[in-house]
Amino acid sequence: MTRAWAVGLDMGGTNIRSAAVSVAGDVLLIEHGPSLASRKAGDVADNIAAQTLHLLDTARRRGLGSPRAIGVAVPGPLNVHTGIVMQAPHVAAWRGYPLRDKLEELIGRKVVVDNDANAWALGEYWRGAARGRRDVVLLTLGTGVGGGLIVGGKLVHGLSGMAGELGHVTVNPDGPPCDCGSHGCLEAYASASGLRGLVEKRLGLAPGSPLPAQIVDSEKNFSVRGLSAQARRGDTLALEAFATAGHYLGIAIASFLNTFNPELVVIGGGVGGALPYMRKTMNAQVRARAFTAVAAQAKIVRAALGPQGGVVGAAYAALHPMTPP
Amino acid sequence: MTRAWAVGLDMGGTNIRSAAVSVAGDVLLIEHGPSLASRKAGDVADNIAAQTLHLLDTARRRGLGSPRAIGVAVPGPLNVHTGIVMQAPHVAAWRGYPLRDKLEELIGRKVVVDNDANAWALGEYWRGAARGRRDVVLLTLGTGVGGGLIVGGKLVHGLSGMAGELGHVTVNPDGPPCDCGSHGCLEAYASASGLRGLVEKRLGLAPGSPLPAQIVDSEKNFSVRGLSAQARRGDTLALEAFATAGHYLGIAIASFLNTFNPELVVIGGGVGGALPYMRKTMNAQVRARAFTAVAAQAKIVRAALGPQGGVVGAAYAALHPMTPP
């Protein structure tokens, strides 16, 4: 038996996930591969196309037939109408890169591209924590901070698809530098890189210095998982870092509540998993800064889908393409 | 000859404007009256109803016949679905006040109520600076700061119509107190009350102290018009106050650009008239904080309609009622 389905592909800094997702949002088949993000622009695109063609082949062999549409989610702001990636944090070579046209040429089919945070937001809206909600603010707290906005049941794209960069609202004009070139952005606090900066500052270390063994992974890189484990043990350094991140997260959320009057704020990503350690300071800022009636209407909840959110949402974007302006 | 039209009524802290607005957005007839905002809740509503009935009577005598709909814009956050005003800055008695039901009872017809800044935004969208644009951020810088958001050609109401409170996003977590109860809101800088605070701080005066003669009106109240005249003369105090307001306005606008990727930012209100004195510091913050590609797509312009924006937009809201969620 064949079911109508779409390809949802989610490209991260390290890995690619590609999936066959049914029109009801069920993952029928999923494959993984390296994203080769450090390669040349064309090689990265070749790799995405190859992963897609491999999935199409597997699907055919499993009797799924052909997909109805193909959706690809990539990091960084991009123009959803032209399919041109403006800049991608993990792919230095993608600056003004015509990704969609390139993929369509390589795959030989129409492709829909969108930002990875938007795709994840659509996934949570379709099948996750925001199911059935019409006004939702979604924040993914990972290496950086991504965002997605659902207003009146529709993803907000803005003029050219670069809306929803919620990690880059200013929460403290005098705050630390952000990878985007500004400073004091939400991302400079409530992300893995923000937390690393908070820890370094607290320990009086220069940026990039070696960190205590408890909060690095096997490759000596800063580990949010390690910091969370320390917080669970009651370690002051870890608890303070999360409290500060939560404080600024609360400032941003209060602004989002007054701006959108949403029904729900959904928080995902690896740092989102540490929400219990951020909640107290976050809630204090929301209470102090958002209109009471607005704050009373909005729940702040964890994301439901985990790592599959991106592929599900990329498939949703492909199945529900936006109309051009 | 009669033309199809709607009532648009805009209630401010001091005055009410009520107008007959054609379905094409032309003001056919306009009347003014006091808003009696300091009276009891019921008296303020009685007064709005009386002004509306007076307009209906005038319209009938002028041969315009009956309106197709009635729209009333009032200050402060309100629930557009229930017609209940949460709180209104100029009407102390309106806290959880069922304004729409009361007006419908008094007028004997269906009434649509909305926030005054939303109405003004709709006016600019229908007939003003944002005509034909689909993604617009509108800020009205007056006594306070109001906002309206157009996303994909539709006003953003949020769950219960309290979205768009753009004056109450945090631009400096350590900033001065705001009338909303928070501190460091955009309104605490880029409004008449914000400018007054900046001037008082610069002069080392306690809040509410008497101010220099050049920047007060005939009733000794702080005058933005006076401060603008001083800026025009090159007065340092005035230029510094506007530069600071522009700095924080720029921080807020940069966040709005990264959030909405709009085509246009429209700035209205009395303080908006002083945009030339705020533009330099505003632009510097926009350049420093917004994504380059996003900032390049958005123009920041002055509102076009002036004081009639509110009545035109209130009529638009009445003619295009939103569907309940």
Side-chain angles (χ1 to χ4, degrees), chain A residues 159-160 164 183 258-259 261 289, chain B residues 159-160 164 168 183 259 261 289:
Chain A
L159 183 61
S160 60
H183 51 280
N258 287 347
T259 300
N261 181 200
R289 295 177 184 276
Chain B
L159 184 61
S160 60
H168 303 285
H183 51 282
T259 300
N261 180 201
R289 295 178 184 278

Side-chain angles (χ1 to χ4, degrees), chain B residues 15-38:
Chain B
N15 295 302
I16 284 180
R17 282 188 186 84
S18 54
V21 180
S22 80
V23 291
D26 296 311
V27 174
L28 306 175
L29 172 66
I30 189 159
E31 296 186 337
H32 303 258
S35 58
L36 309 182
S38 58

